[in-house]
Amino acid sequence: MGVWEHPEAANICYLGLFAQQHRGQEGAGVVSRTRSQDGAPSRLHAHRGMGLVADVFENFDFELLPGDSSIGHVRYTTAGGNLLSNVQPLRADISIGPVAIAHNGNLINSDALKDELIRSGAIFNSTADTEVILHLLARAPRLHADRDTYVREAVIASLQRLKGAYSLLIMFEDRMFAVRDPNGFRPLCVGLLDGSVVVASETCAFDLIGADYVRELAPGELLELTPSGGERSVFPFGVVRETPCVFEYVYFARPDSKVFGRDVYGVRRRLGAELAREHPVAADLVVPVPDSGMTAALGYASESGLPLELGLIRNHYVGRTFIEPKQSIRDFGVKIKHNANAEVLRGKSIVVVDDSIVRGTTSRKLVAMFRRAGAKEVHMRISAPPTIDPCYYGIDTPQKEELVASRLSLSEIKDFLEVDSIAYLSVEGMYRAIHGGDPENAAKKHEAGAPGEPPRKRFCDACFTGNYPIGTPSDCGKKQTELLPS
Amino acid sequence: MGVWEHPEAANICYLGLFAQQHRGQEGAGVVSRTRSQDGAPSRLHAHRGMGLVADVFENFDFELLPGDSSIGHVRYTTAGGNLLSNVQPLRADISIGPVAIAHNGNLINSDALKDELIRSGAIFNSTADTEVILHLLARAPRLHADRDTYVREAVIASLQRLKGAYSLLIMFEDRMFAVRDPNGFRPLCVGLLDGSVVVASETCAFDLIGADYVRELAPGELLELTPSGGERSVFPFGVVRETPCVFEYVYFARPDSKVFGRDVYGVRRRLGAELAREHPVAADLVVPVPDSGMTAALGYASESGLPLELGLIRNHYVGRTFIEPKQSIRDFGVKIKHNANAEVLRGKSIVVVDDSIVRGTTSRKLVAMFRRAGAKEVHMRISAPPTIDPCYYGIDTPQKEELVASRLSLSEIKDFLEVDSIAYLSVEGMYRAIHGGDPENAAKKHEAGAPGEPPRKRFCDACFTGNYPIGTPSDCGKKQTELLPS
Amino acid sequence: MGVWEHPEAANICYLGLFAQQHRGQEGAGVVSRTRSQDGAPSRLHAHRGMGLVADVFENFDFELLPGDSSIGHVRYTTAGGNLLSNVQPLRADISIGPVAIAHNGNLINSDALKDELIRSGAIFNSTADTEVILHLLARAPRLHADRDTYVREAVIASLQRLKGAYSLLIMFEDRMFAVRDPNGFRPLCVGLLDGSVVVASETCAFDLIGADYVRELAPGELLELTPSGGERSVFPFGVVRETPCVFEYVYFARPDSKVFGRDVYGVRRRLGAELAREHPVAADLVVPVPDSGMTAALGYASESGLPLELGLIRNHYVGRTFIEPKQSIRDFGVKIKHNANAEVLRGKSIVVVDDSIVRGTTSRKLVAMFRRAGAKEVHMRISAPPTIDPCYYGIDTPQKEELVASRLSLSEIKDFLEVDSIAYLSVEGMYRAIHGGDPENAAKKHEAGAPGEPPRKRFCDACFTGNYPIGTPSDCGKKQTELLPS
Amino acid sequence: MGVWEHPEAANICYLGLFAQQHRGQEGAGVVSRTRSQDGAPSRLHAHRGMGLVADVFENFDFELLPGDSSIGHVRYTTAGGNLLSNVQPLRADISIGPVAIAHNGNLINSDALKDELIRSGAIFNSTADTEVILHLLARAPRLHADRDTYVREAVIASLQRLKGAYSLLIMFEDRMFAVRDPNGFRPLCVGLLDGSVVVASETCAFDLIGADYVRELAPGELLELTPSGGERSVFPFGVVRETPCVFEYVYFARPDSKVFGRDVYGVRRRLGAELAREHPVAADLVVPVPDSGMTAALGYASESGLPLELGLIRNHYVGRTFIEPKQSIRDFGVKIKHNANAEVLRGKSIVVVDDSIVRGTTSRKLVAMFRRAGAKEVHMRISAPPTIDPCYYGIDTPQKEELVASRLSLSEIKDFLEVDSIAYLSVEGMYRAIHGGDPENAAKKHEAGAPGEPPRKRFCDACFTGNYPIGTPSDCGKKQTELLPS
């Protein structure tokens, strides 16, 4: 989240992060900038902490984040581990001046770059791949006397070293850059609030702060915001082949956001409808797994004509940890979040709709809970293809060997989950759903590929197909390891 | 929540409270009992705190709550104010011995009793009406040499002084009492866990801890649990006229609980269906207000044949307070919890289904948000009758003059909310919904009243009708005031 | 500490507590009173917490303790255990109205009174003996229509039931009482700050807040402070026989306070001088045990002519707990507070001066540390008589069987501590020191007793003599036990 | 503090820091090392926080700092500002591998080095000068294939770039270095605990953990600790001219430590005695300013024959902040720490002994307090020469213009403090005191200088003379500024 030249930049940034809390729950931070004034230097001010946005900024005094511009970040995943030093935005003093950086995505060549940088004398203080970008910026040579050109070229030269997924905000004392990698893996969009430019991963942030949505950044676009409203875009990567992340539609983005030009809710509902067409069941009820499976379940119910019932109730009062009795409770980990609604389920044949199955352990416990609550038959329907490969572009999926759909055949999964039937949406069905509500895009959908190439080539679907558009970290010569633990 | 003679009484009690967190978010506490052993006296151990169960017991060491029995409480509302000293269970040393007490409900004669007690030398340390019960117990004369009879008679004599709504747990060093007031305003049910008796307001607590539901306590029933599994019930109020709270169905209880012999989810869904029959609209979509209006909206959509769409998205990451910019954001208070899903709403005529309107301010902001998101027409449908009178029996409704349905006529409410139409479910419709799914109860439904008396007489519906089955505090000679501020 | 009718009553009270922190480190609290105004009732506001004053009130907003009068307390000891509910001032609603009470001292008939009160219907919420006083006040009958007389008589009637040591502050909505028990065991003095009356245990509190010392309350005096500066004293116990606590001089009071008409520092220094006269040693150095033995050591050194050296250095940065390695460190518990100064001690014969030895375990470790640091001879000199009996009047001494001077003979103590010699000041020497600097009191010193009776009869010295002026709890029919644990 | 190859390295390190708490109260940290084992890499683990050691490590679980070696640090001062990112030990991943560093002292060429490093691409994350050392290490070229030689040469090359005061601990995965700068400004000494090497600034750390003192590191000595007890020293700076800090004796070190070959207590006592010889007063009493002036006051009293009395009592229960009433209290800031003991002072002529006067504001308030408490005459005696110049070598003195002895003449200081007389110890007197107890050093004291050169040339006394042995930051081409605020 970024805010450029607005009198309450930090406060707005924090609210924008709150609206995007689903994109990262491990840590949050905001860096603000006060302009150089009366000879006093421009300064960056930071507040970061572990945990949810509302906790990190509880009772926070925004006078401590003064200035007219800001960037913010919520931390997710983390190859680098769950450390305060990894919470972004990262901030440092480098040759260009003070800088702060917020990164959504994941680099695949960060280990190789890190090795190279360390060998040439760099110090690494975090385990986050983002720190590599800081070092590249710090070492970019000054090839131009003119500061404008110098800074822009330094940014471009640094970006050109990166491989992977990145939607970035980079704030210097006198300008801010927003950039999407040439594949456009992660979303990044631009809005206007009281005449000031705001930038966010998802449009739901604009809704909360009352900003107007303007547009998405294009893949490979580098937007530069300069004092007093100046704006300019350059495309340092030339012709790009965009492959936005299909999983943003399936699971990650908030349903009320608009992502990659389509509304997430509509796509997700069509995924459910397509699933109903591909894999109908003669059951009594459709039961969503809340909250993630809710929208697809609505689509499934509507298409199939089966009634949707809330056969699983979610408890939203969730703390960090729960103390279980020694005589441990059956399915405790699942029950602390969900309870089967026995009155709805008793004696019924049900279609359970969820958006994905990762390891399968939670699903297995849910199925057992449905059965104990009296469900006669349990049919599992997943509104996406089987998750068979890890993501290296910014989604925290486990190793391939932990993915149930990678380890087991469909019939083995059925046995493992102890369901009466299981079916996943096909890859083709997924793309039909994505493009379905999108007549004007339907025309465009072949543009990116050669004639005759199937439309799905416009997206990265590596988690479902193993087809990695830019390869994996091992293609960059290095396994990912932690260098700076604890 | 109570647990009698189970080796992990306190831990189980805490989990039962967690499952019932919706019944009170202001504070939580557990008191456990260690039995007298080897000459050491029986003892009560307490842990209480302000806030949510998960926070009060975060990283808690349950070795600090040893013993085989426990009672717990989540605090809601509070005539007495939001103070740590009001967090229950209350605990004291009295003539009968150490005692702890947890109270769901509200007494209407507590001020009169408090005055009388203070005049005769009592000390009040909290502002909670529950403390009155402690004092009555403390002053109950010892009329019987036999401790069994003495304690039971002391409890009965104290209860007979109370007027109002109470489901109570009273734990002494050698026994525990569970009681529902003769009207049975609030639920209280009994289960079994590994052979030990557990008591809870709602059955969803049993689901989490894996206990089996046995039955509800009857209105006016006093259940006594004694060492080694002994149990006995007495009915000290003679013939009772039960009037359980209808609002438990409409709003308060969790949908996956069974309350007053019926499943809440089923009732709530039928309330929506009945609403659709009474007040149909020719609209494009049904939009629930999550989470409270979700179940009724399903019923409305199903009955009306209109599609249900998630036109309003709830953000479940909610903190205690949010810092708003000085240039305040339009509808900030509403938007921090809900966002309109513009892609669903744009150009559509929508039926918004919620379970109640109290002051009307939130509804008004939601309607404005729907319109700004593009809704063409907004029709509000409420799955209960208008809330026109405050509750004195344990639900925290505001004063009558703050209730929008009390201040304004239906057409004025329409204008105030700026909706295209508004309609509430009728009282009769509400009872049809309650009894609808209930064929065996349908027969019984006339038993409580005279022949021909409408079935609704079995419930307290004072908030919708002003018909208070046992009067109000002003009938007990005293206005409710705070005595012990800070 | 009490403040009557000063615009910043609570803040001043807190500072007065801070100055008297040495009198209790377990908890602290302040209750303030807002006057009845414009029909709004008078109210009491409280803030209490476990720990040091500076911690309990860190970043505290004194707007939360409004009003013009206040009482405060620091908690020490505690037969009742270390519980938040025991932190004073206690506060309650009773028949006289809201009341708060702060108690320095210890009642010896509290268990008997508590039994009686519980039998007649009282509820006990704390385990502190002070709660008994609240109950007596609550039950005092209204014998006078006139509120002035009624309240005063109620206080007097309650006090007349008490046996033991008490300096009390009792604050009602319209007046404050300060009282010392008829023996005057504990100090209590009156000062003036900007024309307002302030009351404190020790005069060092007046120094910090800038108040002027006026006088001590007399034993058995009940001072009543009424609105707008009214003051009156009554003596409800008739002729009293005062026995102030000699241990206040020996150890408890701060050296810069004036207590029972004498400056503590002067007394303590004379105790050291007297000790030097009674028990000289041909040693090289006098080494004080800081901080408690410092003043007496100065007196010893000055009288003996031996040089005083800081052979033991105290570390004042002390936290609550320290984590010791598993291979535990020799004398860890002592060393975390004190370190032997080897350069001073090496090869020297030293006189170690301390004010008392209780269990002897710390002294034993200090002696061992001196020897390891190179001391050639260690002579222990104690500036008070042997502590042989517990105090029941407000000092937290351990049980008789834990007191080393009760268990062992002098020569056994010498062996236990592994010193070259040990000597205590005699009881006569102690009284010579107390009266020594006190020519005008020297005349008065016989007044309290019969002619010829030794002057020491004016003090309670039960801890040194076993001579309890008003008996012990067992004389009141009851052993002290904990009733409300946890 | 460092611990090399001891099974409880981190716990011991923390205790050593606690004993040296007086050297820095702003923050504390420990970094531990687990050895490479079974193919798992060697790792560094850190815990750091703001505040006192006891607070940072309260309830800390030392399982979180595993391993057999550790270094720790307490943070003091800080040109860089009071930030968590400045709390040491600093830790990073660099070309040599993981490294942690703890630094006592202050570099005078850090700004020049920082500029140079940033220009060549370095990133600065803290504002501490210590980070410069990390960067120099990171950039040291690998000139030797042999790791032993490589690492040692890298350390030496980095150290050779530094100007200023530094006692450093540098821990790599396979070795630890301890080094004192060639001037030996700050102390650093070596001990043995259960056969393991421990390193600390002051010997009082060894006393607490039970280690045996072995020796001081020599100025310019680089001690390398290698696996399994290996040790080697090199002297990379050739012939050095040592100038240890005289202020360690005057004020900074703990009196029970041995520093630069002499016991601090003895020196400090002789400073007082010398002061009495140089500046006698015909007064009644010697009054120390506790705790800093205590030892010198003992020396003054002993030499002068005047009695020492505790005319000023220190309150050791000190919190971070105190809330003062709006009608502010006279001398509040002083009184919260000290109270005048009026009974001692009344009518007396006193000699107040302190170790230094910096800004003079505290002394002025103390004098006023003495007078209000009744002192007839107040003579101030300072056991060191006037502080006229700031320290750039690791002591946090204010700017020259804030030093009262720099701004004012002696008679003006007398007027400012409102004393009857004031005198400082002479520089010569100071050195007499230092060397006085030191017969064997008295012989050596000319060794460092040319024949006839006064002995004081062995120490840095710049704060008293303005004679900076290695110049000031402005000699290194750069003013000290903060680069990374907030």
Side-chain angles (χ1 to χ4, degrees), chain B residues 290-305:
Chain B
D291 292 341
S292 57
M294 190 67 198
T295 312
L298 275 175
Y300 194 102
S302 159
E303 178 68 23
S304 66

Side-chain angles (χ1 to χ4, degrees), chain D residues 262-382:
Chain D
R262 291 174 191 85
D263 74 297
V264 175
Y265 179 83
V267 171
R268 217 165 270 173
R269 206 180 187 301
R270 290 195 302 273
L271 289 167
E274 198 66 45
L275 180 64
R277 281 190 288 270
E278 284 193 358
H279 303 290
V281 199
D284 301 318
L285 307 172
V286 173
V287 171
V289 176
D291 293 342
S292 56
M294 190 68 200
T295 311
L298 274 174
Y300 194 103
S302 159
E303 178 68 23
S304 67
L306 297 176
L308 179 145
E309 298 289 351
L310 304 180
L312 190 63
I313 302 296
R314 178 158 181 180
N315 186 348
H316 283 289
Y317 300 104
V318 175
R320 259 148 286 189
T321 54
F322 287 92
I323 303 152
E324 195 180 352
K326 279 165 231 142
Q327 298 180 22
S328 71
I329 292 173
R330 194 147 44 159
D331 301 340
F332 182 77
V334 168
K335 284 206 285 193
I336 208 78
K337 275 176 77 177
H338 291 109
N339 190 25
N341 193 349
E343 299 295 324
V344 162
L345 301 169
R346 193 168 301 126
K348 294 290 165 39
S349 170
I350 65 172
V351 189
V352 177
V353 178
D354 205 351
D355 56 8
S356 55
I357 299 179
V358 181
R359 289 179 184 81
T361 45
T362 297
S363 301
R364 179 184 158 92
K365 287 175 182 171
L366 287 176
V367 171
M369 193 158 68
F370 288 136
R371 295 219 187 264
R372 271 196 297 279
K376 200 176 62 186
E377 291 177 20
V378 179
H379 303 274
M380 182 72 80
R381 290 296 177 271
I382 302 302

Side-chain angles (χ1 to χ4, degrees), chain A residues 43 46 93 121 124-125 138 483 485, chain D residues 43 93 121 124-125 138 483 485-486:
Chain A
R43 291 175 63 153
D93 271 340
F124 275 80
N125 293 276
L483 276 161
Chain D
R43 292 176 61 153
D93 270 342
F124 274 80
N125 294 275
L483 276 162
S486 136

Side-chain angles (χ1 to χ4, degrees), chain B residues 21-33:
Chain B
Q21 180 73 81
H22 62 289
R23 295 190 76 85
Q25 288 98 47
E26 292 175 8
V30 169
V31 171
S32 72
R33 176 205 71 154

